[in-house]
Structures are given as C-alpha cells and as structure tokens.
Amino acid sequence: WFSAAVQTGTNGCGRDNGGCSHFCFNTPSGELQCACPQNIQLQDDGRNCVKDPCSVNNGGCQHSCSVSESGNITCSCQEWYKPDPTNTSRCIESDLSMFVLERNDIMEVSMDTTPMYKKTISLPSDMAISSGVSMDVDIRAGRLYWCDSVRDTISSANFDGSDPKTVVSGLKVPDGIAVDWLV
C-alpha cells in the first residue's frame, strides 16, 4: 500500500550511487550505507569495494596476506617469525631455537614456528668445521663451542658465527665437550 508520508525526502543513493562503488542503501535513519558483492571487501573509507583485500594495506597483515576462496584474509609470518598470540595480523620474532652440529656445519633451528626453519651458522673458511663431533653452548656469553676431530681443535664463535676462535689446538682426536656456563 502506498503512503505519501513514507515517500517524502530524497534518495541519497539516486545521485552518483551515493558515492558507493557498488551498492548503496538508504538506512531507516536516513543515512547512506555502501555494500559490496560477495567475496569483495569494503575498504576502510566505507565507500569503495576492493576485490583483493590484500592489495589495500596488505590486508592489515604485518608480513604476508592471502585470501581464501570464501574471501577470508589469512595473515602469515616470514621465516624466523611467528604470529603474535595477542594479534594474529602481527608477527613476533621466534624466541626458541636450538643449535645442531651436522658434521661440517652448525645449524640454528627454530623450535616455535610452523614450519620449523633452519639456517647455517656462517664461519670463515679458515675456521670451517672439517669433522665436528660434539658441540655445546655458553648461554650467558652467547657462544658456541665445538670439537673438530680432523683439525684436532676445540673452537668457538658467537651464536651468529662472528668472532670465531680456536680455543685449544693439538688435541688427539677430541670427541666430546661440555661447557660449564653456570659458574
């Protein structure tokens, strides 16, 4: 049924689609509201729709943004970072790792990221490990120590591989090491 009282006023959506890029609706309070088709997101300006929400401000993600077929945004983190438990669009640095001696290399392996990441600790060629047989760490000093059974040495370097040193040389096939860092 038709009522003249209901039909008074102006249609804000009638002029330039109310400034909306896709759909414009008049709300009962007389304000305009823009909307987007399914699987397209309304931008923060409240007027424009964007097909790929990751293309605007990286979808609100700190590192990587992806969009599922249903249009949901998923944030992910770069290597050695993990989602912040208080805000999954943000990433925090991995704070749990272990060091592993793999014969000729020392690897740092992340323990609290998915997937686990590993990186080789880079040493200069004159300190390269020929045949590593055991390793230990000094947490307080931030140093690695390893035995090399071919070079007959015990060597050390910072966790990042810097400041490498031969600690003891001339050993007869060293095959174990323990660093007392609690003292």
Side-chain angles (χ1 to χ4, degrees), residues 53-75:
C54 291
S55 67
V56 177
N57 195 27
N58 200 33
C61 301
Q62 183 178 11
H63 286 184
S64 300
C65 176
S66 60
V67 182
S68 68
E69 286 186 24
S70 62
N72 294 324
I73 292 175
T74 301
C75 297

Side-chain angles (χ1 to χ4, degrees), residues 104 123-131 146 148 151:
N104 298 321
L123 296 168
S125 59
D126 64 325
M127 292 297 293
I129 302 170
S130 298
S131 182
W146 65 92
D148 190 320
R151 296 178 132 197

Side-chain angles (χ1 to χ4, degrees), residues 80-153:
W80 295 96
Y81 288 84
K82 61 184 179 180
D84 183 335
T86 62
N87 179 354
T88 57
S89 66
R90 308 288 305 158
C91 298
I92 57 175
E93 195 168 0
S94 170
D95 55 1
L96 182 62
S97 64
M98 70 175 172
F99 292 97
V100 179
L101 178 63
E102 291 185 339
R103 191 57 126 181
N104 298 321
D105 291 311
I106 297 175
M107 309 293 287
E108 183 178 9
V109 180
S110 68
M111 300 298 294
D112 61 350
T113 60
T114 304
M116 289 174 45
Y117 297 107
K118 67 180 187 176
K119 62 183 172 186
T120 302
I121 305 302
S122 181
L123 296 168
S125 59
D126 64 325
M127 292 297 293
I129 302 170
S130 298
S131 182
V133 290
S134 67
M135 181 186 75
D136 203 353
V137 297
D138 181 341
I139 298 294
R140 288 189 180 152
R143 292 193 67 83
L144 304 165
Y145 291 84
W146 65 92
C147 293
D148 190 320
S149 64
V150 170
R151 296 178 132 197
D152 294 332
T153 60

